[in-house]
Amino acid sequence: MHGTGAKVDGARGVFAVDSTAPDAAPRGLDAFRHGWETQVGDDVFQLPAFSPDTIGDFRVKGTVTKVHGAAIADLHAASATRTADVPGGDQDLIAMYVVRRGAWTLGGPPGYGDQTVSAGQFLVRHLGRLTAFDTAAHLTAKFLVLPPDELKPLLGTRAITGPADSAEMRLLAALTDMIHTTVADLGPAGVAAAQNTLVELAKAVVRGRFDDVEPRLAPALTRAAKDLADRRLADPELSPAMLARELNVSVRTLHRAFAAVGEQVSTYIRHRRLDEARLALVAPSGRLSISELAAHWQFADGSHFTRAFKKHYGQTPSEYARSTGAAPLSPTRHPPVHGPAEGA
């Protein structure tokens, strides 16, 4: 269990906790609470009291980051958790729960029943006071606390639910991942911009649409598109149009977002495919031939793949394989029946 990062005029903080190691659970809740209170603070979100029957077995691993009046917690809970029946305490904030595995059950407002966020779902609502909750063991979830000024009028008394892999949630998840890794190096203006962008994307989640004229959202859109492309590199349908469709934006918006960070969508896809092909060239076993690599990574043919590879790396695939000490490549067959390499 440890904490990292520091506050800048109380505007930022980040800490990591891991009480899943043997013998760490008895101190797990104390470490988590200490990290939250010192790096995030009760002014953003007051942690509730936990039920005595879950305090002794608080096995949680994760990272928590504060950006101004917002906080992001990415948590993996090995044990079940439960708050006290009446946590107490007034709040005025927007809370978002994104569950990837397990379930998170939340106490509802007076007169309403409990709400359960199941795996693959998100829920966002306004909290006027602390409410009870419990989580299943082996929970993987993201918890966001956001300032209420711009979101509360959109939500009112509603709780918005939907799929965790919606286009808007993909953008929000990409942004939170970037914030976790960069917040320690951000200055005050960067911290403020990070919070504002979180709020803008949360508004997109609530509205169910992305504001494609908001320039602050370009980095998050670019990151989400790259993450999606990385998972679909071998898909023959992968293209700027497909990415735009999956992320619920126009192709023009996607191109504009990449241009804002000095990149092009098609160039990113081609370079990532070449990089994966380069790694495959020196794989210790089961290497594909040149023509098979070209087909697998969606190049027109072996000659086109070879030209693209040489332009990017300064060597043909066979020259690169030889330079790393790998066995000679077959241009067409796999398993290889070794013959002369292209460009020889």
Side-chain angles (χ1 to χ4, degrees):
M1 294 168 285
H2 62 282
T4 60
K7 295 182 182 180
V8 176
D9 298 327
R12 72 176 182 186
V14 54
F15 74 94
V17 64
D18 184 359
S19 60
T20 60
D23 302 324
R27 305 183 307 278
L29 180 56
D30 291 340
F32 188 83
R33 189 177 294 279
H34 175 75
W36 189 283
E37 291 173 351
T38 58
Q39 297 297 324
V40 178
D42 288 345
D43 58 318
V44 175
F45 178 75
Q46 179 186 348
L47 287 179
F50 283 82
S51 174
D53 61 349
T54 65
I55 290 175
D57 186 32
F58 192 85
R59 290 176 287 126
V60 173
K61 180 179 182 179
T63 302
V64 182
T65 300
K66 174 186 180 181
V67 280
H68 261 320
I72 309 159
D74 279 271
L75 304 172
H76 306 274
S79 61
T81 65
R82 186 178 306 107
T83 60
D85 290 337
V86 185
D90 293 330
Q91 302 273 270
D92 184 20
L93 54 87
I94 303 301
M96 182 180 293
Y97 311 81
V98 188
V99 177
R100 298 294 180 183
R101 181 184 180 193
W104 196 325
T105 300
L106 311 162
Y112 294 85
D114 292 346
Q115 296 173 298
T116 297
V117 189
S118 302
Q121 297 291 310
F122 76 84
L123 181 147
V124 56
R125 67 179 185 177
H126 172 254
L127 291 183
R129 62 181 181 86
L130 286 177
T131 57
F133 68 80
D134 64 79
T135 67
H138 307 297
L139 173 83
T140 299
K142 190 184 297 286
F143 173 57
L144 284 83
V145 177
L146 299 165
D149 293 352
E150 297 183 58
L151 288 160
K152 187 177 177 180
L154 294 176
L155 281 168
T157 60
R158 296 181 302 157
I160 303 294
T161 62
D165 63 350
S166 69
E168 293 78 18
M169 285 304 306
R170 288 177 182 174
L171 294 176
L172 186 62
L175 176 64
T176 60
D177 291 343
M178 287 192 292
I179 290 174
H180 278 313
T181 58
T182 61
V183 72
D185 299 320
L186 293 177
V191 172
Q195 176 191 274
N196 292 339
T197 308
L198 273 174
V199 170
E200 286 297 326
L201 281 177
K203 287 159 65 175
V205 170
V206 172
R207 291 171 172 155
R209 59 184 174 84
F210 174 74
D211 182 359
D212 64 1
V213 300
E214 174 50 65
R216 289 177 298 189
L217 305 186
L221 176 55
T222 303
R223 182 69 266 163
K226 288 180 177 180
D227 290 344
L228 180 57
D230 287 347
R231 295 194 297 270
R232 306 280 285 273
L233 283 175
D235 187 341
E237 300 299 319
L238 177 60
S239 65
M242 185 272 274
L243 293 174
R245 184 171 62 252
E246 291 286 327
L247 294 170
N248 197 26
V249 299
S250 68
V251 175
R252 181 183 177 186
T253 294
L254 184 64
H255 283 305
R256 193 163 61 231
F258 269 75
V261 296
E263 297 185 77
Q264 295 181 343
V265 187
S266 297
T267 300
Y268 177 81
I269 294 171
R270 183 172 65 255
H271 287 177
R272 283 290 294 113
R273 282 173 164 169
L274 285 170
D275 189 50
E276 290 297 324
R278 178 184 62 83
L279 295 175
L281 284 170
V282 294
S285 62
R287 291 193 299 129
L288 300 177
S289 68
I290 293 167
S291 60
E292 287 170 323
L293 281 171
H296 184 76
W297 297 114
Q298 306 307 315
F299 290 89
D301 52 40
S303 297
H304 182 259
F305 166 63
T306 297
R307 288 194 299 271
F309 192 96
K310 185 172 184 179
K311 182 177 179 180
H312 190 54
Y313 292 109
Q315 297 176 300
T316 67
S318 289
E319 289 168 346
Y320 178 82
R322 286 198 299 267
S323 71
T324 61
L329 286 167
S330 164
T332 57
R333 299 185 62 186
H334 176 73
V337 176
H338 299 307
E342 80 288 354

